[in-house]
Amino acid sequence: MDDLGPLLISITERMSREKKRGQVADYIPELAKIDPNQFGISVALADGQTLSAGDADTSFSIQSVSKVFALSLALTRRGADVWKRVGREPSGDPFNSIVQLEADHGTPRNPLINSGAIVISDIILAARDHVEAVDEVLNFMRNAADDDNIFVGPAVAKSEQQTGFRNAALANFIKASYNIDHAPEKTLALYFHQCAIAMSCRQLAQAGRIFAFGGRKGVDGHALISSGRARRVNSLMLTCGHYDGSGDFAFHVGLPGKSVVDGGILAIAPGIASIAVWSPGLNKVGNSHLGTIAMEDLAVQTGWSIFGEH
Ligand code: DON
């Protein structure tokens, strides 16, 4: 892939010229402060190389991309029992929908929307203090990324906790439906902290290798999760990873991916690469505006797609 480095630079240059950059999320005060004029991209390859361009070493809170790693941990711990508590269908609704949860009697539609991720946090918590469970998620991210320099951002964690009224409503409704074992505030404490883990595109692309290479951090090495679980998490990223923009992302980019409210996207080209892009301005369905354009550009120019040639 000799031309990949120059390709990332040319995509980054094109993105820096774009006037329309989307709107930053402002429902969490700490996220509203992010400068929208940033763009980073990293691609982690099977041979251990990671190529990057732009603001690829600037940290941002990984928000909902933590949901795919937390799901992997929960599946490793509880296997198929996880699916007794959360579904596997796309939601077609906003990620924090309360109406849908009530219609589904407290069983969240999938683990990549907030209600589903809260149930997954409850599974990971397993009667421990939330601090211990946060450490487990953090260590999993550090191990996957091969980088110990990954921490929870305290300001974002606090901001999430102080303004997470919809998440509290979801957690309380799930508790009332007997699908949460712990006190809702304990389960939410883990959820808020995992959302606030700060990582750069480079670190995120490196962590995403476990989904690109059958649970391994490259073609060699031991598996952090089983290949079957990596495949299943990828299937959920494809169908549910971009909220109600999931169909469009599959249509235009053709790769499983998870998008987050502060503009990050992790996408997986199975057997080839893990890709992270970050640009904080969002499009009308809440996915990174420039990040989505850049992912399509990269997929078209490299020919990476799970559906066939671009
Ligand atoms: O729960 C929230 O509001 C955020 N911390 C999670 C945001 C996110 O990226 C949405 N994704 N499903």
Side-chain angles (χ1 to χ4, degrees), residues 62 75 121:
I62 63 166
L75 286 171
S121 291

Side-chain angles (χ1 to χ4, degrees), residues 27-28 31 62-65 67 95-96 112-114 160 164 167 191-192 195-196 241 243 258-262:
Y27 74 101
I28 296 172
L31 302 187
I62 63 166
Q63 295 291 336
S64 282
V65 87
K67 290 171 180 159
F95 62 83
N96 51 10
L112 305 189
I113 51 174
N114 286 14
E160 299 261 355
N167 286 322
Y191 173 74
F192 290 137
C195 286
Y243 327 123
K258 182 73 197 92
S259 129
V260 311
V261 289
D262 55 357

Side-chain angles (χ1 to χ4, degrees), residues 274-286:
S274 159
I275 309 143
V277 64
W278 172 61
S279 178
L282 307 179
N283 63 21
K284 62 179 184 328
V285 280

